[in-house]
Amino acid sequence: MERKDYLKWLSVVCVVLAAFGVGIFLVGYQPLSAGRVATVCLLVVAAAVLAWLSRRERN
């Protein structure tokens, strides 16, 4: 696998983890807290950056 493929997979993993975190909030399993919201936000930002880097990669 090439580097861009790894970046794309990491982006997908971050999106899935962020969606899981949002789902936990929506179901009410865990209450909102600053740390949990920051984690979801960080995962979304990481997914966007990794997706951008995977598209920017030339080969």
Side-chain angles (χ1 to χ4, degrees):
M1 285 176 83
E2 296 180 20
R3 183 175 185 254
K4 66 179 179 176
D5 295 329
Y6 285 116
L7 292 173
K8 189 184 334 179
W9 276 106
L10 282 174
S11 174
V12 171
V13 168
C14 287
V15 168
V16 169
L17 286 172
F20 181 74
V22 170
I24 285 176
F25 297 146
L26 292 177
V27 171
Y29 182 71
Q30 292 282 329
L32 287 174
S33 70
R36 290 184 183 110
V37 171
T39 300
V40 170
C41 291
L42 184 65
L43 285 168
V44 170
V45 169
V49 169
L50 289 168
W52 177 71
L53 285 174
S54 72
R55 288 190 197 113
R56 186 173 166 259
E57 193 69 28
R58 297 174 196 223
N59 247 347

